[in-house]
Amino acid sequence: MREIFDLDTRRGRRVNAFISAVIVLSMATLVADTHYAAADGGLPGWLWTLELVIWLMFVVEYIMRIALAPSAWRYVFSFYGIVDLLAVLGGFANVPAGTSLRLLRLLRVFRVVKLVRGSAALDRFRAAFRDIADELLVYVSASGILMFIASVGIYELEHDQPDTLYVSIFDSFYWAVLSLTAGAEGYQPLSFGGKLLSIFIVLIGLGVVAVPSGLLASALYKHDSQAT
């Protein structure tokens, strides 16, 4: 019975292909939900039934994986065990008592993560991330400290300006995150000091993507060299 989830066997690959098809169908029903919600109409009976059937499939799969796993607790607390659990919990959004809980509806999107189960490429990335975990931890910690300092700085420089958007440290932290990543459009500072700080943060932000990307590329190259 354990072969049904073993990707090294033909039966396991067939089961995985079937589950992948169900996941894609689940994402299609999620899109259909938003269509009917935008039309201010309730879900048609056939769509509600389809989502219920898909949810039951995920429930059965989760229970079987627990029952067939060599260590049930190890599976439950593993990455994919948590993803499978989230996929099951997301189905409670179809239950009348849970339809108003947006968090449950949001959990359904985690089903798409199940598509990469058994991916060789994902295994390579996982191994690469393990190799650079310490470097990433230092980098993330330094970035967090920098963003907090920047958010406090922009708050002190801008919160007294007329029609300011920096009314709290939280709003300022939001600006800092955007400035270090995608750019804080709509959050232009008004004071001279705030503009200088923005220039500094944007320049620093150029390395936010470059540093971890370089670390990951180096780790992947090392694993590929060892494999050959």
Side-chain angles (χ1 to χ4, degrees):
M1 285 294 294
R2 289 181 179 176
E3 289 185 359
I4 64 175
F5 295 125
D6 188 353
L7 296 179
D8 293 329
T9 65
R10 179 178 299 179
R11 179 183 298 177
R13 289 191 292 270
R14 289 177 177 176
V15 170
N16 186 67
F18 174 76
I19 294 174
S20 297
V22 173
I23 294 170
V24 173
L25 181 60
S26 172
M27 294 300 99
T29 62
L30 180 59
V31 174
D33 279 359
T34 61
H35 170 74
Y36 287 103
D40 294 327
L43 292 183
W46 66 268
L47 182 57
W48 186 88
T49 303
L50 180 59
E51 291 187 348
L52 180 62
V53 171
I54 291 174
W55 176 46
L56 292 176
M57 288 183 179
F58 286 130
V59 172
V60 171
E61 178 205 2
Y62 183 63
I63 294 174
M64 290 185 66
R65 286 187 182 276
I66 292 177
L68 298 177
S71 173
W73 285 109
R74 186 174 181 179
Y75 160 72
V76 168
F77 292 103
S78 67
F79 172 77
Y80 284 115
I82 295 173
V83 169
D84 291 337
L85 176 61
L86 294 177
V88 170
L89 293 177
F92 281 101
N94 296 326
V95 178
T99 53
S100 61
L101 300 179
R102 292 185 177 181
L103 178 59
L104 291 179
R105 298 177 64 84
L106 178 62
L107 290 179
R108 292 189 297 175
V109 77
F110 284 97
R111 293 173 181 175
V112 74
V113 181
K114 292 161 63 70
L115 287 173
V116 297
R117 178 181 262 123
S119 170
L122 184 65
D123 291 337
R124 289 174 56 233
F125 274 96
R126 187 183 297 115
F129 273 113
R130 281 199 300 265
D131 287 349
I132 61 175
D134 293 339
E135 290 87 347
L136 285 179
L137 179 60
V138 173
Y139 170 77
V140 170
S141 299
S143 298
I145 293 172
L146 176 62
M147 285 188 290
F148 182 75
I149 292 174
S151 62
V152 174
I154 199 68
Y155 171 77
E156 294 296 340
L157 291 169
E158 292 289 322
H159 77 279
D160 289 332
Q161 296 293 324
D163 300 324
T164 182
L165 295 174
Y166 306 92
V167 295
S168 68
I169 295 294
F170 179 81
D171 294 319
S172 301
F173 190 78
Y174 178 71
W175 163 84
V177 173
L178 291 181
S179 296
L180 283 170
T181 53
E185 183 177 356
Y187 272 76
Q188 290 82 2
L190 299 177
S191 67
F192 178 74
K195 291 177 180 179
L196 286 180
L197 181 59
S198 293
I199 293 173
F200 174 74
I201 293 300
V202 170
L203 292 176
I204 294 296
L206 295 176
V208 168
V209 176
V211 172
S213 297
L215 290 173
L216 181 59
S218 177
L220 287 172
Y221 177 77
K222 184 181 75 174
H223 278 278
D224 289 342
S225 300
Q226 292 175 348
T228 56

